[in-house]
Amino acid sequence: MHAYRTHTCAQLTKDDVDQSVRLSGWVHNKRDHGGVLFVDLRDHYGITQIVADSDSEALPVLEKLKLESVVTIDGTVKARDAAAVNANLPTGEIEVFARSIEVQSRASDLPLIVNSAEDYPEDIRLKYRFVDLRRERVHANIMLRNQVIQSLRRRMTDQGFSEFQTPILGASSPEGARDYLVPSRLHAGRFYALPQAPQMFKQLLMVAGFDRYFQIAPCFRDEDLRADRSPEFYQLDFEMSFVTQEDVFNTIEPVLAGVFEEFSGGKSVTPAGEFPRIPYAEAMLKYGSDKPDLRNPLIISDVTEHFTSSGFGLFEKIVGGGGRVRVIPAPNTHEKSRKFFDEMNDWARKEGFAGLGYVTRKQGEFGGPIAKNHGTEGMEKLYAELGLGENDGLFFAAGKEKDAAKLAGAARTRVAEELGLIEEGCFKFCWIVDFPMFEWDEDLKKVDFSHNPFSMPQGEMEALETQDPLDIKAWQYDIVCNGYELSSGAIRNHKPEIMYKAFALAGYSQEEVDANFSGMIEAFKLGAPPHGGSAPGIDRIVMLLADEPNIREVIAFPMNQRAQDLMMGAPSVVSPKQLRELNIQLSPKAREATEAARSGESTDMNTNATVRDEDPQAQDG
RNA sequence: GCGGGUGUAGCUCAGUUGGUUAGAGUAUCGGCCUGUCACGCCGAGGGUCGCGGGUUCGAGUCCCGUCACUCGCGCCA
């Protein structure tokens, strides 16, 4: 007999009755009736009920054992009486009568309970993540993640992509997010940078002639966190040679639609080949966002023209100053109280906007200060143009174009949520296309790249030479699903002369380009195919499929919002010897902070991870 | 860096207008219980009300500051 098990905890059925079996697992739950004891024994696969009574030598041991201890049970499979069958359990028709027990690992008091769905504070869950991960929901999320990755891999290899690894210790480059840096021991004062994405390497793989690359690539960005953002995350990074934007779309739509259909649990998914394509400018106008949630039926309109002259002085003034007025319909709000509208305005102010105006309409009657001042005739004209009905309210976002769009976008979401208009049970994909190549940098008062500088401008050299830089579009595209940006990609600029020209428009000299991007530029001078790709975010995909509110629920060992690993105690203080080897000296401020951590001056609960560091019990060698 | 929310027993939470000894469930410990599957019953222990200061005869409750977690803005594709 195997040392630990003959079956898993999900395997035994009525067909196995009377068999002698050996099971191993965690003590999930106990029900002690004095003379008879029931134990739910759990492993990765499932739960089997173990029974022990006074005839069993296992009884006194199990009685004393705490939950989550690990045991091996030798016993006999018994059929349960009809009345005792548990229909909720795949193994519910049988139980195992324990003849003997071996305790593999004795658990002490638990910081959180595995057999309950109760929510625990996230810092406790993260500190004891190995226990948290035993719980049904998180365990299932991590398994879902595994399946999604397997499926993505299969779908990519089926389409002729090859998987390659790229370096983790790379060179820092000036554009993009803040790099995580790793000091070099052999080269004093120099640093490696962890990849924000394997961008240059995947392009160089195309230059190297591999034609179709993909990788489940770890990416690192040292920026502040959000619910859908972690400092380290994974992308389905891919790149293809000799392709147009259309080819990239046709390749990746079936992969994403396919994997979503496979794991959506019955939710509808935008079919491959039917992802709507929304130009960036249109997205900003109609949805107030470059990652619109298409489950939200509300569409923003620009009504600036109606307020060039208006009794409503505030809007007239904004319009006169070059600003825009955008509106968000609030359908069928005739029965909403004034409070509803006022609270929307309060919300907008709390969000840092100047305020959200509104017009109410009940049985054709307009209400609210904007309607009063603008006049019934003007309002009717506006409503007719927008196709609004006699019971539809209207919210107004006014200001500089960027601010008005942003407020309108936030209000569109808020209004739809308040009115329950967001369609449920679906994944709605779209492409955002035609991103501007350049934008005006208000701080530096100059033209700068609005996205990745390696994207090919639409119209290529001719566009750069003849058009206003701010009018030039890039072959740059995002995939958006339910309001989340899942992927960003581009057809790359593989021509050095266009690269130099594009950088020149953004104010960078050829020498600067050569200095910062020498590898790429050199490569493009030695025979580079036209190529493009994208990189869907794996964590966000799994988060959406698992219907979780944040990315940490689908990461086995996530960091908290301050980029700490509460379980392992990262980032940690290192020894003076390590620092000396790296030729690194701490600043006085850093010395003070690390001294405080060492002497345990700070006694708040978040130093617990560090305390655990020093607990030999907690070290796993 | 900024704004919102939260912080009361190991955990989940209640705690009235500022008023007696801060409660419940769960977990833990002890006792009882031979068919449970969220087993049940009896009992016990467990509290710096995040921390510091203030107002007050009196603060879990009000005020100021601060810390932690979290959501968002800035930042970031």
Side-chain angles (χ1 to χ4, degrees):
Chain A
M1 200 177 255
H2 187 270
Y4 300 117
R5 61 185 175 195
T6 56
H7 299 78
T8 72
C9 291
Q11 254 180 335
L12 296 169
T13 67
K14 266 200 301 209
D15 296 340
D16 301 297
V17 167
D18 292 336
Q19 271 203 57
S20 283
V21 296
R22 180 171 284 173
L23 297 181
S24 285
W26 286 259
V27 176
H28 185 66
N29 199 10
K30 291 198 295 186
R31 292 173 294 280
D32 190 348
H33 291 251
V36 62
L37 171 69
F38 301 97
V39 170
D40 294 334
L41 192 68
R42 183 197 72 240
D43 65 10
H44 173 71
Y45 307 95
I47 286 178
T48 299
Q49 175 163 283
I50 308 294
V51 198
D53 63 17
S54 46
D55 293 339
S56 168
E57 65 181 61
L59 181 69
V61 181
L62 281 169
E63 269 178 337
K64 294 274 180 248
L65 213 51
K66 285 192 206 273
L67 298 186
E68 294 308 309
S69 296
V70 176
V71 296
T72 299
I73 301 280
D74 279 0
T76 310
V77 182
K78 303 250 164 130
R80 296 203 203 180
D81 290 344
V85 165
N86 184 345
N88 299 323
L89 227 52
T91 60
E93 288 189 312
I94 57 97
E95 61 197 6
V96 171
F97 182 84
R99 282 194 312 274
S100 63
I101 178 171
E102 186 180 348
V103 178
Q104 305 290 3
S105 174
R106 223 171 265 280
S108 42
D109 283 353
L110 293 162
L112 44 82
I113 299 162
V114 174
N115 66 32
S116 111
E118 201 171 308
D119 212 7
Y120 287 90
E122 203 165 356
D123 39 7
I124 293 198
R125 293 181 53 202
L126 294 184
K127 186 173 155 197
Y128 298 97
R129 188 63 163 177
F130 43 86
V131 178
D132 189 42
L133 284 168
R134 293 177 196 163
R135 302 168 79 221
E136 196 172 359
R137 181 153 192 173
V138 205
H139 205 84
N141 283 350
I142 301 304
M143 286 310 291
L144 172 66
R145 182 187 178 105
N146 161 67
Q147 289 172 315
V148 165
I149 288 175
Q150 284 185 2
S151 176
L152 288 171
R153 245 194 198 110
R154 178 172 49 77
R155 289 168 193 278
M156 293 304 282
T157 49
D158 284 354
Q159 291 215 50
F161 286 85
S162 305
E163 187 169 2
F164 301 106
Q165 285 72 52
T166 50
I168 298 298
L169 296 174
S172 181
S173 80
E175 97 297 348
R178 193 178 295 113
D179 284 319
Y180 273 102
L181 296 177
V182 179
S184 162
R185 176 178 58 86
L186 297 175
H187 303 277
R190 289 173 186 256
F191 294 81
Y192 302 96
L194 304 184
Q196 296 179 26
Q199 184 63 38
M200 294 210 205
F201 290 112
K202 73 172 170 178
Q203 292 193 237
L204 293 170
L205 285 168
M206 294 302 98
V207 175
F210 287 103
D211 202 64
R212 290 190 161 199
Y213 143 95
F214 87 101
Q215 177 182 196
I216 310 292
C219 305
F220 306 86
R221 292 175 195 170
D222 187 3
E223 296 292 348
D224 287 340
L225 278 62
R226 292 287 185 277
D228 64 349
R229 242 162 53 189
S230 164
E232 45 185 14
F233 57 99
Y234 286 81
Q235 291 183 335
L236 172 63
D237 193 44
F238 71 93
E239 196 76 4
M240 315 159 69
S241 290
F242 304 111
V243 290
T244 63
Q245 176 170 293
E246 201 63 30
D247 296 319
V248 176
F249 287 11
N250 290 336
T251 303
I252 204 62
E253 278 188 32
V255 173
L256 285 180
V259 84
F260 268 75
E261 274 160 17
E262 187 177 353
F263 298 107
S264 68
K267 291 186 183 178
S268 74
V269 179
T270 310
E274 296 179 25
F275 289 17
R277 297 167 190 194
I278 306 171
Y280 171 83
E282 183 185 330
M284 293 310 291
L285 173 62
K286 289 166 72 174
Y287 309 103
S289 167
D290 61 357
K291 41 181 180 167
D293 186 349
L294 296 185
R295 296 173 305 164
N296 179 343
L298 301 179
I299 304 287
I300 299 163
S301 302
D302 189 297
V303 298
T304 306
E305 304 313 316
H306 288 259
F307 292 93
T308 45
S309 69
S310 164
F312 192 61
L314 177 62
F315 283 3
E316 196 179 287
K317 201 174 146 202
I318 288 171
V319 173
R324 313 298 297 182
V325 181
R326 301 270 163 92
V327 289
I328 306 97
N332 299 310
T333 44
H334 52 296
E335 282 173 356
K336 289 284 177 187
S337 64
R338 176 172 173 174
K339 191 170 159 225
F340 168 78
F341 292 92
D342 282 339
E343 279 178 356
M344 285 296 296
N345 185 37
D346 294 343
W347 159 81
R349 296 176 77 93
K350 252 170 84 173
E351 292 285 306
F353 297 101
L356 189 68
Y358 64 83
V359 163
T360 63
R361 201 179 193 200
K362 309 183 182 203
Q363 273 77 46
E365 191 80 16
F366 290 107
I370 295 176
K372 198 165 292 172
N373 290 297
H374 189 60
T376 305
E377 200 180 313
M379 287 310 304
E380 274 172 352
K381 197 173 151 216
L382 181 61
Y383 265 54
E385 187 182 303
L386 297 173
L388 294 176
E390 59 178 18
N391 287 321
D392 297 340
L394 199 58
F395 286 100
F396 289 75
K400 285 186 211 159
E401 176 159 11
K402 220 174 167 180
D403 298 334
K406 202 174 144 196
L407 170 56
R412 169 178 176 267
T413 302
R414 177 84 181 181
V415 170
E417 279 170 358
E418 289 287 324
L419 299 179
L421 299 176
I422 311 274
E423 190 182 337
E424 303 213 1
C426 58
F427 292 109
K428 294 208 165 177
F429 281 93
C430 63
W431 291 99
I432 306 299
V433 298
D434 298 342
F435 278 86
M437 184 79 195
F438 301 99
E439 66 187 5
W440 182 251
D441 187 320
E442 199 54 53
D443 295 336
L444 300 174
K445 303 287 178 204
K446 74 177 207 46
V447 168
D448 203 357
F449 292 105
S450 66
H451 267 71
N452 177 335
F454 306 123
S455 300
M456 182 66 95
Q458 294 184 21
E460 303 197 4
M461 190 59 113
E462 192 194 336
L464 296 182
E465 283 173 339
T466 60
Q467 291 184 32
D468 179 341
L470 296 178
D471 289 338
I472 299 170
K473 308 274 185 278
W475 292 116
Q476 169 91 38
Y477 39 81
D478 284 1
I479 297 175
V480 174
C481 179
N482 291 5
Y484 288 94
E485 182 196 312
L486 281 192
S487 180
S488 194
I491 298 300
R492 321 298 174 187
N493 182 352
H494 66 289
K495 296 179 175 168
E497 66 278 15
I498 301 181
M499 187 90 78
Y500 287 130
K501 178 70 183 172
F503 272 98
L505 288 174
Y508 299 96
S509 68
Q510 182 161 338
E511 290 69 32
E512 286 171 295
V513 178
D514 286 339
N516 287 316
F517 309 106
S518 57
M520 288 266 276
I521 287 283
E522 278 306 304
F524 291 163
K525 288 175 180 170
L526 296 171
H531 60 286
S534 191
I538 306 248
D539 313 83
R540 285 182 187 172
I541 289 173
V542 181
M543 176 180 89
L544 282 171
L545 288 171
D547 197 24
E548 290 287 2
N550 72 64
I551 208 171
R552 297 182 298 278
E553 298 295 339
V554 300
I555 298 175
F557 299 106
M559 288 179 164
N560 71 2
Q561 214 213 7
R562 298 214 306 160
Q564 296 166 299
D565 178 342
L566 296 179
M567 186 176 67
M568 305 303 285
S572 63
V573 173
V574 300
S575 70
K577 176 168 179 281
Q578 286 172 297
L579 290 176
R580 270 197 307 277
E581 283 177 341
L582 295 167
N583 289 291
I584 286 181
Q585 280 187 332
L586 298 184
S587 70
K589 191 178 155 198
R591 263 204 304 277
E592 196 178 310
T594 54
E595 282 305 318
R598 265 185 221 284
S599 63
E601 257 174 40
S602 41
T603 51
D604 62 83
M605 67 190 297
N606 293 292
T607 59
N608 285 357
T610 320
V611 170
R612 266 171 40 97
D613 272 355
E614 292 151 14
D615 176 359
Q617 296 289 311
Q619 296 278 0
D620 72 348

